[in-house]
mmCIF file of all heavy atoms in Angstrom:
data_model
loop_
_atom_site.group_PDB
_atom_site.id
_atom_site.type_symbol
_atom_site.label_atom_id
_atom_site.label_comp_id
_atom_site.label_asym_id
_atom_site.label_seq_id
_atom_site.Cartn_x
_atom_site.Cartn_y
_atom_site.Cartn_z
ATOM 1 N N ARG M 680 9.208 -5.367 6.762
ATOM 2 C CA ARG M 680 10.102 -6.389 6.243
ATOM 3 C C ARG M 680 9.382 -7.361 5.322
ATOM 4 O O ARG M 680 9.983 -7.918 4.393
ATOM 5 C CB ARG M 680 10.780 -7.137 7.396
ATOM 6 C CG ARG M 680 11.966 -7.964 6.943
ATOM 7 C CD ARG M 680 12.739 -8.594 8.084
ATOM 8 N NE ARG M 680 13.318 -7.603 8.991
ATOM 9 C CZ ARG M 680 14.182 -7.923 9.953
ATOM 10 N NH1 ARG M 680 14.553 -9.177 10.121
ATOM 11 N NH2 ARG M 680 14.653 -6.991 10.745
ATOM 12 N N ALA M 681 8.098 -7.569 5.527
ATOM 13 C CA ALA M 681 7.353 -8.488 4.665
ATOM 14 C C ALA M 681 7.227 -7.947 3.241
ATOM 15 O O ALA M 681 7.070 -8.717 2.291
ATOM 16 C CB ALA M 681 5.963 -8.746 5.245
ATOM 17 N N VAL M 682 7.306 -6.638 3.078
ATOM 18 C CA VAL M 682 7.201 -6.016 1.754
ATOM 19 C C VAL M 682 8.581 -5.866 1.120
ATOM 20 O O VAL M 682 8.737 -6.038 -0.098
ATOM 21 C CB VAL M 682 6.493 -4.653 1.853
ATOM 22 C CG1 VAL M 682 6.370 -3.989 0.474
ATOM 23 C CG2 VAL M 682 5.105 -4.821 2.475
ATOM 24 N N CYS M 683 9.593 -5.544 1.911
ATOM 25 C CA CYS M 683 10.976 -5.436 1.437
ATOM 26 C C CYS M 683 11.865 -6.070 2.498
ATOM 27 O O CYS M 683 11.999 -5.539 3.607
ATOM 28 C CB CYS M 683 11.370 -3.983 1.193
ATOM 29 S SG CYS M 683 13.038 -3.763 0.540
ATOM 30 N N ASP M 684 12.460 -7.198 2.164
ATOM 31 C CA ASP M 684 13.174 -8.013 3.148
ATOM 32 C C ASP M 684 14.568 -7.464 3.418
ATOM 33 O O ASP M 684 15.582 -7.997 2.977
ATOM 34 C CB ASP M 684 13.247 -9.458 2.655
ATOM 35 C CG ASP M 684 13.769 -10.414 3.725
ATOM 36 O OD1 ASP M 684 13.825 -10.000 4.902
ATOM 37 O OD2 ASP M 684 14.123 -11.564 3.383
ATOM 38 N N HIS M 685 14.594 -6.360 4.159
ATOM 39 C CA HIS M 685 15.846 -5.739 4.590
ATOM 40 C C HIS M 685 15.868 -5.751 6.115
ATOM 41 O O HIS M 685 14.839 -5.491 6.756
ATOM 42 C CB HIS M 685 15.937 -4.300 4.058
ATOM 43 C CG HIS M 685 17.296 -3.696 4.202
ATOM 44 N ND1 HIS M 685 17.807 -3.309 5.424
ATOM 45 C CD2 HIS M 685 18.268 -3.433 3.277
ATOM 46 C CE1 HIS M 685 19.026 -2.820 5.258
ATOM 47 N NE2 HIS M 685 19.332 -2.876 3.965
ATOM 48 N N PRO M 686 17.018 -6.043 6.739
ATOM 49 C CA PRO M 686 17.049 -6.128 8.211
ATOM 50 C C PRO M 686 16.711 -4.839 8.922
ATOM 51 O O PRO M 686 16.409 -4.858 10.117
ATOM 52 C CB PRO M 686 18.493 -6.574 8.508
ATOM 53 C CG PRO M 686 19.275 -6.272 7.282
ATOM 54 C CD PRO M 686 18.316 -6.421 6.150
ATOM 55 N N ARG M 687 16.756 -3.696 8.207
ATOM 56 C CA ARG M 687 16.362 -2.424 8.826
ATOM 57 C C ARG M 687 14.855 -2.287 8.988
ATOM 58 O O ARG M 687 14.367 -1.368 9.647
ATOM 59 C CB ARG M 687 16.895 -1.260 7.978
ATOM 60 C CG ARG M 687 18.258 -0.773 8.377
ATOM 61 C CD ARG M 687 18.202 0.094 9.618
ATOM 62 N NE ARG M 687 17.752 1.438 9.279
ATOM 63 C CZ ARG M 687 16.564 1.939 9.539
ATOM 64 N NH1 ARG M 687 15.644 1.206 10.144
ATOM 65 N NH2 ARG M 687 16.256 3.180 9.205
ATOM 66 N N ASN M 688 14.107 -3.183 8.382
ATOM 67 C CA ASN M 688 12.656 -3.088 8.433
ATOM 68 C C ASN M 688 12.076 -3.926 9.572
ATOM 69 O O ASN M 688 12.773 -4.698 10.229
ATOM 70 C CB ASN M 688 12.062 -3.490 7.084
ATOM 71 C CG ASN M 688 12.242 -2.405 6.034
ATOM 72 O OD1 ASN M 688 12.351 -1.229 6.358
ATOM 73 N ND2 ASN M 688 12.275 -2.805 4.770
ATOM 74 N N ILE M 689 10.774 -3.779 9.792
ATOM 75 C CA ILE M 689 10.114 -4.353 10.967
ATOM 76 C C ILE M 689 9.420 -5.658 10.593
ATOM 77 O O ILE M 689 8.567 -5.679 9.699
ATOM 78 C CB ILE M 689 9.060 -3.374 11.530
ATOM 79 C CG1 ILE M 689 9.637 -1.959 11.652
ATOM 80 C CG2 ILE M 689 8.542 -3.863 12.878
ATOM 81 C CD1 ILE M 689 8.579 -0.888 11.917
ATOM 82 N N PRO M 690 9.753 -6.775 11.286
ATOM 83 C CA PRO M 690 9.040 -8.040 11.027
ATOM 84 C C PRO M 690 7.570 -7.944 11.437
ATOM 85 O O PRO M 690 7.199 -7.141 12.302
ATOM 86 C CB PRO M 690 9.789 -9.057 11.890
ATOM 87 C CG PRO M 690 11.071 -8.403 12.285
ATOM 88 C CD PRO M 690 10.809 -6.934 12.298
ATOM 89 N N ASP M 691 6.766 -8.802 10.833
ATOM 90 C CA ASP M 691 5.328 -8.752 11.107
ATOM 91 C C ASP M 691 4.990 -9.050 12.561
ATOM 92 O O ASP M 691 4.039 -8.481 13.106
ATOM 93 C CB ASP M 691 4.594 -9.742 10.189
ATOM 94 C CG ASP M 691 4.222 -9.122 8.845
ATOM 95 O OD1 ASP M 691 4.598 -7.953 8.608
ATOM 96 O OD2 ASP M 691 3.570 -9.814 8.036
ATOM 97 N N ASP M 692 5.731 -9.949 13.221
ATOM 98 C CA ASP M 692 5.386 -10.254 14.610
ATOM 99 C C ASP M 692 5.592 -9.040 15.504
ATOM 100 O O ASP M 692 4.860 -8.831 16.478
ATOM 101 C CB ASP M 692 6.188 -11.450 15.131
ATOM 102 C CG ASP M 692 7.666 -11.138 15.305
ATOM 103 O OD1 ASP M 692 8.351 -10.930 14.280
ATOM 104 O OD2 ASP M 692 8.150 -11.116 16.462
ATOM 105 N N VAL M 693 6.577 -8.186 15.149
ATOM 106 C CA VAL M 693 6.814 -6.974 15.929
ATOM 107 C C VAL M 693 5.731 -5.944 15.633
ATOM 108 O O VAL M 693 5.199 -5.291 16.549
ATOM 109 C CB VAL M 693 8.222 -6.415 15.627
ATOM 110 C CG1 VAL M 693 8.436 -5.083 16.336
ATOM 111 C CG2 VAL M 693 9.288 -7.424 16.048
ATOM 112 N N LEU M 694 5.378 -5.796 14.355
ATOM 113 C CA LEU M 694 4.264 -4.902 14.015
ATOM 114 C C LEU M 694 2.990 -5.328 14.745
ATOM 115 O O LEU M 694 2.242 -4.483 15.256
ATOM 116 C CB LEU M 694 4.021 -4.916 12.503
ATOM 117 C CG LEU M 694 5.005 -4.131 11.634
ATOM 118 C CD1 LEU M 694 4.749 -4.422 10.167
ATOM 119 C CD2 LEU M 694 4.894 -2.627 11.897
ATOM 120 N N ALA M 695 2.740 -6.631 14.802
ATOM 121 C CA ALA M 695 1.519 -7.132 15.440
ATOM 122 C C ALA M 695 1.526 -6.877 16.942
ATOM 123 O O ALA M 695 0.459 -6.834 17.570
ATOM 124 C CB ALA M 695 1.356 -8.624 15.155
ATOM 125 N N ALA M 696 2.716 -6.696 17.536
ATOM 126 C CA ALA M 696 2.812 -6.444 18.977
ATOM 127 C C ALA M 696 2.623 -4.973 19.329
ATOM 128 O O ALA M 696 2.462 -4.640 20.511
ATOM 129 C CB ALA M 696 4.171 -6.928 19.492
ATOM 130 N N LEU M 697 2.652 -4.094 18.338
ATOM 131 C CA LEU M 697 2.558 -2.661 18.634
ATOM 132 C C LEU M 697 1.253 -2.247 19.308
ATOM 133 O O LEU M 697 1.264 -1.394 20.197
ATOM 134 C CB LEU M 697 2.770 -1.833 17.367
ATOM 135 C CG LEU M 697 4.220 -1.560 16.963
ATOM 136 C CD1 LEU M 697 4.258 -0.687 15.718
ATOM 137 C CD2 LEU M 697 5.001 -0.892 18.090
ATOM 138 N N PRO M 698 0.089 -2.795 18.915
ATOM 139 C CA PRO M 698 -1.139 -2.342 19.588
ATOM 140 C C PRO M 698 -1.115 -2.544 21.099
ATOM 141 O O PRO M 698 -1.577 -1.666 21.846
ATOM 142 C CB PRO M 698 -2.225 -3.199 18.915
ATOM 143 C CG PRO M 698 -1.685 -3.454 17.545
ATOM 144 C CD PRO M 698 -0.215 -3.650 17.753
ATOM 145 N N ALA M 699 -0.567 -3.658 21.567
ATOM 146 C CA ALA M 699 -0.519 -3.896 23.012
ATOM 147 C C ALA M 699 0.409 -2.906 23.701
ATOM 148 O O ALA M 699 0.188 -2.521 24.851
ATOM 149 C CB ALA M 699 -0.070 -5.325 23.293
ATOM 150 N N ASN M 700 1.446 -2.477 22.999
ATOM 151 C CA ASN M 700 2.403 -1.532 23.558
ATOM 152 C C ASN M 700 1.937 -0.087 23.405
ATOM 153 O O ASN M 700 2.281 0.773 24.215
ATOM 154 C CB ASN M 700 3.764 -1.733 22.873
ATOM 155 C CG ASN M 700 4.736 -0.605 23.134
ATOM 156 O OD1 ASN M 700 4.844 0.322 22.323
ATOM 157 N ND2 ASN M 700 5.422 -0.650 24.271
ATOM 158 N N GLY M 701 1.169 0.183 22.340
ATOM 159 C CA GLY M 701 0.731 1.544 22.056
ATOM 160 C C GLY M 701 1.672 2.332 21.174
ATOM 161 O O GLY M 701 1.460 3.528 20.950
ATOM 162 N N GLY M 702 2.716 1.686 20.649
ATOM 163 C CA GLY M 702 3.738 2.387 19.895
ATOM 164 C C GLY M 702 3.335 2.736 18.476
ATOM 165 O O GLY M 702 2.241 2.420 18.010
ATOM 166 N N VAL M 703 4.260 3.395 17.783
ATOM 167 C CA VAL M 703 4.029 3.873 16.423
ATOM 168 C C VAL M 703 5.216 3.505 15.546
ATOM 169 O O VAL M 703 6.374 3.715 15.930
ATOM 170 C CB VAL M 703 3.826 5.404 16.401
ATOM 171 C CG1 VAL M 703 3.847 5.942 14.974
ATOM 172 C CG2 VAL M 703 2.505 5.781 17.067
ATOM 173 N N ALA M 704 4.926 2.958 14.360
ATOM 174 C CA ALA M 704 5.934 2.648 13.355
ATOM 175 C C ALA M 704 5.820 3.661 12.227
ATOM 176 O O ALA M 704 4.767 3.779 11.599
ATOM 177 C CB ALA M 704 5.739 1.228 12.818
ATOM 178 N N MET M 705 6.894 4.384 11.972
ATOM 179 C CA MET M 705 6.894 5.476 11.003
ATOM 180 C C MET M 705 7.632 5.021 9.744
ATOM 181 O O MET M 705 8.851 4.833 9.751
ATOM 182 C CB MET M 705 7.535 6.722 11.618
ATOM 183 C CG MET M 705 6.918 7.083 12.975
ATOM 184 S SD MET M 705 7.603 8.568 13.747
ATOM 185 C CE MET M 705 6.455 9.810 13.145
ATOM 186 N N ALA M 706 6.876 4.823 8.681
ATOM 187 C CA ALA M 706 7.434 4.306 7.431
ATOM 188 C C ALA M 706 8.431 5.299 6.843
ATOM 189 O O ALA M 706 8.202 6.509 6.846
ATOM 190 C CB ALA M 706 6.321 4.026 6.424
ATOM 191 N N THR M 707 9.532 4.757 6.315
ATOM 192 C CA THR M 707 10.576 5.596 5.742
ATOM 193 C C THR M 707 10.576 5.513 4.230
ATOM 194 O O THR M 707 9.883 4.690 3.630
ATOM 195 C CB THR M 707 11.952 5.218 6.319
ATOM 196 O OG1 THR M 707 12.886 6.248 6.027
ATOM 197 C CG2 THR M 707 12.449 3.885 5.779
ATOM 198 N N PHE M 708 11.374 6.379 3.593
ATOM 199 C CA PHE M 708 11.379 6.510 2.140
ATOM 200 C C PHE M 708 12.651 5.972 1.495
ATOM 201 O O PHE M 708 12.737 5.949 0.272
ATOM 202 C CB PHE M 708 11.243 7.985 1.738
ATOM 203 C CG PHE M 708 9.977 8.667 2.178
ATOM 204 C CD1 PHE M 708 9.864 10.045 2.106
ATOM 205 C CD2 PHE M 708 8.897 7.940 2.671
ATOM 206 C CE1 PHE M 708 8.700 10.694 2.492
ATOM 207 C CE2 PHE M 708 7.734 8.581 3.069
ATOM 208 C CZ PHE M 708 7.634 9.957 2.982
ATOM 209 N N VAL M 709 13.651 5.567 2.260
ATOM 210 C CA VAL M 709 14.945 5.153 1.709
ATOM 211 C C VAL M 709 14.735 4.002 0.726
ATOM 212 O O VAL M 709 14.196 2.954 1.111
ATOM 213 C CB VAL M 709 15.900 4.729 2.838
ATOM 214 C CG1 VAL M 709 17.250 4.305 2.267
ATOM 215 C CG2 VAL M 709 16.061 5.867 3.843
ATOM 216 N N PRO M 710 15.136 4.165 -0.544
ATOM 217 C CA PRO M 710 14.802 3.150 -1.551
ATOM 218 C C PRO M 710 15.209 1.727 -1.183
ATOM 219 O O PRO M 710 14.440 0.790 -1.399
ATOM 220 C CB PRO M 710 15.535 3.649 -2.801
ATOM 221 C CG PRO M 710 15.514 5.135 -2.652
ATOM 222 C CD PRO M 710 15.720 5.377 -1.178
ATOM 223 N N LYS M 711 16.394 1.528 -0.606
ATOM 224 C CA LYS M 711 16.814 0.158 -0.304
ATOM 225 C C LYS M 711 16.001 -0.461 0.831
ATOM 226 O O LYS M 711 16.066 -1.673 1.036
ATOM 227 C CB LYS M 711 18.297 0.109 0.031
ATOM 228 C CG LYS M 711 18.696 0.794 1.326
ATOM 229 C CD LYS M 711 20.195 0.667 1.558
ATOM 230 C CE LYS M 711 20.637 1.401 2.824
ATOM 231 N NZ LYS M 711 22.082 1.280 3.058
ATOM 232 N N PHE M 712 15.238 0.356 1.566
ATOM 233 C CA PHE M 712 14.360 -0.170 2.615
ATOM 234 C C PHE M 712 12.931 -0.385 2.124
ATOM 235 O O PHE M 712 12.140 -1.023 2.821
ATOM 236 C CB PHE M 712 14.332 0.745 3.833
ATOM 237 C CG PHE M 712 15.672 1.020 4.459
ATOM 238 C CD1 PHE M 712 15.900 2.187 5.165
ATOM 239 C CD2 PHE M 712 16.718 0.117 4.334
ATOM 240 C CE1 PHE M 712 17.132 2.456 5.741
ATOM 241 C CE2 PHE M 712 17.966 0.368 4.902
ATOM 242 C CZ PHE M 712 18.169 1.540 5.612
ATOM 243 N N VAL M 713 12.595 0.157 0.974
ATOM 244 C CA VAL M 713 11.205 0.043 0.509
ATOM 245 C C VAL M 713 11.066 -0.709 -0.808
ATOM 246 O O VAL M 713 9.990 -1.226 -1.118
ATOM 247 C CB VAL M 713 10.522 1.427 0.379
ATOM 248 C CG1 VAL M 713 10.439 2.098 1.747
ATOM 249 C CG2 VAL M 713 11.222 2.327 -0.627
ATOM 250 N N LEU M 714 12.145 -0.813 -1.590
ATOM 251 C CA LEU M 714 12.074 -1.424 -2.922
ATOM 252 C C LEU M 714 13.068 -2.575 -2.989
ATOM 253 O O LEU M 714 14.282 -2.350 -2.976
ATOM 254 C CB LEU M 714 12.409 -0.368 -3.991
ATOM 255 C CG LEU M 714 12.264 -0.789 -5.452
ATOM 256 C CD1 LEU M 714 10.794 -1.066 -5.790
ATOM 257 C CD2 LEU M 714 12.829 0.303 -6.364
ATOM 258 N N PRO M 715 12.594 -3.826 -3.066
ATOM 259 C CA PRO M 715 13.523 -4.965 -3.056
ATOM 260 C C PRO M 715 14.624 -4.867 -4.106
ATOM 261 O O PRO M 715 15.782 -5.216 -3.827
ATOM 262 C CB PRO M 715 12.592 -6.160 -3.307
ATOM 263 C CG PRO M 715 11.283 -5.738 -2.733
ATOM 264 C CD PRO M 715 11.187 -4.258 -3.027
ATOM 265 N N ALA M 716 14.289 -4.382 -5.298
ATOM 266 C CA ALA M 716 15.300 -4.302 -6.359
ATOM 267 C C ALA M 716 16.418 -3.333 -6.020
ATOM 268 O O ALA M 716 17.513 -3.409 -6.602
ATOM 269 C CB ALA M 716 14.628 -3.877 -7.666
ATOM 270 N N ALA M 717 16.174 -2.420 -5.089
ATOM 271 C CA ALA M 717 17.188 -1.417 -4.735
ATOM 272 C C ALA M 717 18.227 -1.959 -3.763
ATOM 273 O O ALA M 717 19.283 -1.340 -3.581
ATOM 274 C CB ALA M 717 16.518 -0.182 -4.142
#
């Protein structure tokens, strides 16, 4: 979300919590989720 401010994306505080949980965030390719202009 810090790179493309769409609600479908992950805020930094949640990304920062992943190491304690052990989880994985899998980046997607959908243009409106990765490119702000889209």
Side-chain angles (χ1 to χ4, degrees):
R680 194 174 298 189
V682 180
C683 182
D684 190 14
H685 192 288
R687 269 283 281 106
N688 285 334
I689 313 168
D691 273 4
D692 69 292
V693 175
L694 284 171
L697 277 182
N700 166 265
V703 169
M705 309 181 93
T707 195
F708 298 167
V709 180
K711 67 179 177 180
F712 303 153
V713 297
L714 185 66

